[in-house]
mmCIF file of all heavy atoms in Angstrom:
data_model
loop_
_atom_site.group_PDB
_atom_site.id
_atom_site.type_symbol
_atom_site.label_atom_id
_atom_site.label_comp_id
_atom_site.label_asym_id
_atom_site.label_seq_id
_atom_site.Cartn_x
_atom_site.Cartn_y
_atom_site.Cartn_z
ATOM 1 N N LYS A 52 4.202 -17.391 12.497
ATOM 2 C CA LYS A 52 5.535 -17.090 13.055
ATOM 3 C C LYS A 52 6.271 -16.141 12.192
ATOM 4 O O LYS A 52 6.226 -16.316 10.948
ATOM 5 C CB LYS A 52 6.308 -18.316 13.275
ATOM 6 C CG LYS A 52 5.754 -19.348 14.190
ATOM 7 C CD LYS A 52 6.634 -20.629 14.311
ATOM 8 C CE LYS A 52 6.104 -21.638 15.222
ATOM 9 N NZ LYS A 52 6.887 -22.904 15.255
ATOM 10 N N LEU A 53 6.953 -15.190 12.837
ATOM 11 C CA LEU A 53 7.797 -14.279 12.073
ATOM 12 C C LEU A 53 9.203 -14.535 12.581
ATOM 13 O O LEU A 53 9.594 -14.241 13.741
ATOM 14 C CB LEU A 53 7.416 -12.782 12.414
ATOM 15 C CG LEU A 53 8.246 -11.717 11.629
ATOM 16 C CD1 LEU A 53 8.075 -11.865 10.117
ATOM 17 C CD2 LEU A 53 7.901 -10.345 12.165
ATOM 18 N N TYR A 54 10.008 -15.128 11.700
ATOM 19 C CA TYR A 54 11.381 -15.492 12.079
ATOM 20 C C TYR A 54 12.265 -14.317 12.038
ATOM 21 O O TYR A 54 12.131 -13.418 11.177
ATOM 22 C CB TYR A 54 11.921 -16.579 11.109
ATOM 23 C CG TYR A 54 11.124 -17.884 11.231
ATOM 24 C CD1 TYR A 54 10.084 -18.157 10.401
ATOM 25 C CD2 TYR A 54 11.548 -18.761 12.251
ATOM 26 C CE1 TYR A 54 9.425 -19.369 10.543
ATOM 27 C CE2 TYR A 54 10.846 -20.015 12.425
ATOM 28 C CZ TYR A 54 9.777 -20.289 11.614
ATOM 29 O OH TYR A 54 9.070 -21.458 11.746
ATOM 30 N N SER A 55 13.175 -14.139 12.942
ATOM 31 C CA SER A 55 14.126 -13.031 13.090
ATOM 32 C C SER A 55 13.438 -11.739 13.166
ATOM 33 O O SER A 55 13.816 -10.692 12.574
ATOM 34 C CB SER A 55 15.137 -13.030 11.856
ATOM 35 O OG SER A 55 15.841 -14.233 11.800
ATOM 36 N N SER A 56 12.363 -11.698 13.943
ATOM 37 C CA SER A 56 11.456 -10.531 14.097
ATOM 38 C C SER A 56 12.289 -9.296 14.544
ATOM 39 O O SER A 56 13.225 -9.379 15.361
ATOM 40 C CB SER A 56 10.389 -10.763 15.094
ATOM 41 O OG SER A 56 9.603 -9.633 15.278
ATOM 42 N N GLY A 57 12.064 -8.219 13.877
ATOM 43 C CA GLY A 57 12.750 -6.945 14.213
ATOM 44 C C GLY A 57 14.048 -6.741 13.418
ATOM 45 O O GLY A 57 14.650 -5.684 13.498
ATOM 46 N N GLU A 58 14.427 -7.770 12.728
ATOM 47 C CA GLU A 58 15.622 -7.637 11.871
ATOM 48 C C GLU A 58 15.327 -7.405 10.464
ATOM 49 O O GLU A 58 14.252 -7.750 9.982
ATOM 50 C CB GLU A 58 16.476 -8.940 12.089
ATOM 51 C CG GLU A 58 16.975 -9.188 13.471
ATOM 52 C CD GLU A 58 17.771 -10.528 13.558
ATOM 53 O OE1 GLU A 58 18.385 -10.968 12.548
ATOM 54 O OE2 GLU A 58 17.767 -11.063 14.632
ATOM 55 N N LEU A 59 16.287 -6.940 9.691
ATOM 56 C CA LEU A 59 16.094 -6.723 8.253
ATOM 57 C C LEU A 59 16.019 -8.100 7.603
ATOM 58 O O LEU A 59 16.816 -8.986 7.909
ATOM 59 C CB LEU A 59 17.332 -5.964 7.641
ATOM 60 C CG LEU A 59 17.254 -5.568 6.210
ATOM 61 C CD1 LEU A 59 16.160 -4.580 6.019
ATOM 62 C CD2 LEU A 59 18.611 -4.970 5.797
ATOM 63 N N GLY A 60 14.959 -8.285 6.815
ATOM 64 C CA GLY A 60 14.716 -9.640 6.226
ATOM 65 C C GLY A 60 13.933 -10.607 7.086
ATOM 66 O O GLY A 60 13.880 -11.754 6.728
ATOM 67 N N ALA A 61 13.354 -10.077 8.179
ATOM 68 C CA ALA A 61 12.500 -10.955 8.964
ATOM 69 C C ALA A 61 11.405 -11.519 8.031
ATOM 70 O O ALA A 61 10.919 -10.835 7.158
ATOM 71 C CB ALA A 61 11.880 -10.187 10.151
ATOM 72 N N SER A 62 10.991 -12.780 8.280
ATOM 73 C CA SER A 62 10.027 -13.429 7.367
ATOM 74 C C SER A 62 9.192 -14.457 8.044
ATOM 75 O O SER A 62 9.651 -15.070 9.002
ATOM 76 C CB SER A 62 10.816 -14.056 6.193
ATOM 77 O OG SER A 62 9.895 -14.642 5.313
ATOM 78 N N MET A 63 8.058 -14.746 7.407
ATOM 79 C CA MET A 63 7.218 -15.892 7.877
ATOM 80 C C MET A 63 7.786 -17.215 7.409
ATOM 81 O O MET A 63 7.361 -18.289 7.752
ATOM 82 C CB MET A 63 5.788 -15.656 7.451
ATOM 83 C CG MET A 63 5.119 -14.492 8.037
ATOM 84 S SD MET A 63 3.333 -14.416 7.605
ATOM 85 C CE MET A 63 3.458 -14.052 5.833
ATOM 86 N N PHE A 64 8.781 -17.148 6.444
ATOM 87 C CA PHE A 64 9.331 -18.247 5.765
ATOM 88 C C PHE A 64 10.857 -18.316 6.221
ATOM 89 O O PHE A 64 11.425 -17.279 6.522
ATOM 90 C CB PHE A 64 9.246 -18.208 4.295
ATOM 91 C CG PHE A 64 7.843 -17.960 3.892
ATOM 92 C CD1 PHE A 64 7.345 -16.718 3.534
ATOM 93 C CD2 PHE A 64 6.927 -19.086 3.795
ATOM 94 C CE1 PHE A 64 6.057 -16.508 3.154
ATOM 95 C CE2 PHE A 64 5.639 -18.862 3.396
ATOM 96 C CZ PHE A 64 5.178 -17.559 3.082
ATOM 97 N N THR A 65 11.428 -19.509 6.246
ATOM 98 C CA THR A 65 12.779 -19.608 6.694
ATOM 99 C C THR A 65 13.414 -20.857 5.994
ATOM 100 O O THR A 65 12.818 -21.787 5.756
ATOM 101 C CB THR A 65 12.933 -19.708 8.224
ATOM 102 O OG1 THR A 65 14.331 -19.734 8.497
ATOM 103 C CG2 THR A 65 12.270 -20.922 8.753
ATOM 104 N N ASN A 66 14.744 -20.677 5.782
ATOM 105 C CA ASN A 66 15.543 -21.849 5.322
ATOM 106 C C ASN A 66 16.206 -22.518 6.541
ATOM 107 O O ASN A 66 16.834 -23.506 6.428
ATOM 108 C CB ASN A 66 16.591 -21.377 4.316
ATOM 109 C CG ASN A 66 15.985 -20.902 3.011
ATOM 110 O OD1 ASN A 66 15.028 -21.459 2.491
ATOM 111 N ND2 ASN A 66 16.546 -19.832 2.447
ATOM 112 N N ASN A 67 16.012 -21.860 7.689
ATOM 113 C CA ASN A 67 16.552 -22.323 8.939
ATOM 114 C C ASN A 67 15.525 -22.260 10.092
ATOM 115 O O ASN A 67 15.337 -21.255 10.753
ATOM 116 C CB ASN A 67 17.796 -21.425 9.348
ATOM 117 C CG ASN A 67 18.441 -21.870 10.633
ATOM 118 O OD1 ASN A 67 18.061 -22.830 11.288
ATOM 119 N ND2 ASN A 67 19.384 -21.077 11.072
ATOM 120 N N PRO A 68 14.849 -23.432 10.287
ATOM 121 C CA PRO A 68 13.791 -23.419 11.291
ATOM 122 C C PRO A 68 14.251 -23.258 12.739
ATOM 123 O O PRO A 68 13.391 -23.110 13.645
ATOM 124 C CB PRO A 68 13.135 -24.783 11.114
ATOM 125 C CG PRO A 68 14.211 -25.547 10.431
ATOM 126 C CD PRO A 68 15.040 -24.649 9.677
ATOM 127 N N ASN A 69 15.559 -23.146 12.958
ATOM 128 C CA ASN A 69 16.058 -22.993 14.327
ATOM 129 C C ASN A 69 16.160 -21.518 14.730
ATOM 130 O O ASN A 69 16.557 -21.214 15.842
ATOM 131 C CB ASN A 69 17.473 -23.673 14.481
ATOM 132 C CG ASN A 69 17.361 -25.209 14.333
ATOM 133 O OD1 ASN A 69 16.338 -25.789 14.763
ATOM 134 N ND2 ASN A 69 18.301 -25.704 13.566
ATOM 135 N N LEU A 70 15.806 -20.601 13.849
ATOM 136 C CA LEU A 70 15.798 -19.132 14.135
ATOM 137 C C LEU A 70 14.827 -18.793 15.163
ATOM 138 O O LEU A 70 13.744 -19.462 15.325
ATOM 139 C CB LEU A 70 15.521 -18.354 12.833
ATOM 140 C CG LEU A 70 16.659 -18.359 11.818
ATOM 141 C CD1 LEU A 70 16.098 -17.645 10.491
ATOM 142 C CD2 LEU A 70 17.889 -17.750 12.330
ATOM 143 N N SER A 71 15.102 -17.733 15.923
ATOM 144 C CA SER A 71 14.084 -17.262 16.863
ATOM 145 C C SER A 71 12.865 -16.639 16.121
ATOM 146 O O SER A 71 13.035 -16.307 14.919
ATOM 147 C CB SER A 71 14.692 -16.118 17.776
ATOM 148 O OG SER A 71 15.072 -15.016 16.925
#
Side-chain angles (χ1 to χ4, degrees):
K52 294 179 180 177
L53 181 64
Y54 295 94
S55 301
S56 180
E58 297 178 27
L59 188 63
S62 178
M63 295 185 294
F64 306 98
T65 183
N66 294 320
N67 177 3
N69 297 321
L70 291 173
S71 63

